Coordinates of all heavy atoms in Angstrom, one line a residue:
S8 N 109.1 102.4 119.8 CA 110.1 103.4 119.5 C 110.4 103.5 118.0 O 111.1 104.4 117.6 CB 111.4 103.0 120.2 OG 111.7 101.6 120.1
A9 N 110.0 102.5 117.2 CA 110.2 102.6 115.8 C 109.0 103.2 115.0 O 109.0 103.3 113.8 CB 110.4 101.2 115.2
R33 N 109.9 96.1 115.6 CA 110.8 96.4 114.4 C 112.1 97.1 114.8 O 112.1 97.6 115.9 CB 110.0 97.4 113.5 CG 108.7 96.9 112.9 CD 107.8 98.0 112.5 NE 107.4 98.9 113.7 CZ 106.6 100.0 113.6 NH1 106.2 100.4 112.4 NH2 106.3 100.6 114.7
P34 N 113.1 97.0 114.0 CA 114.3 97.8 114.3 C 114.0 99.2 114.5 O 113.2 99.8 113.7 CB 115.2 97.5 113.1 CG 114.7 96.2 112.5 CD 113.2 96.2 112.8
D35 N 114.6 99.9 115.5 CA 114.2 101.3 115.8 C 115.3 102.3 115.7 O 115.1 103.5 116.0 CB 113.6 101.3 117.2 CG 114.5 100.9 118.3 OD1 115.7 100.6 118.0 OD2 114.1 100.9 119.4
G36 N 116.5 101.9 115.3 CA 117.6 102.9 115.2 C 118.2 103.2 116.5 O 119.2 104.0 116.6
L37 N 117.8 102.6 117.6 CA 118.4 102.9 118.9 C 119.3 101.8 119.3 O 119.9 101.8 120.4 CB 117.3 103.0 120.0 CG 116.3 104.2 119.8 CD1 115.2 104.1 120.8 CD2 117.1 105.5 120.0
G38 N 119.5 100.8 118.5 CA 120.4 99.7 118.8 C 119.9 98.6 119.6 O 120.6 97.7 120.0
D39 N 118.6 98.6 119.9 CA 117.9 97.5 120.7 C 117.3 96.5 119.8 O 116.6 96.9 118.8 CB 116.8 98.1 121.6 CG 117.4 99.2 122.6 OD1 118.2 98.8 123.4 OD2 117.1 100.4 122.4

Side-chain angles (χ1 to χ4, degrees):
S8 49
R33 301 157 293 177
D35 61 4
L37 295 173
D39 299 294

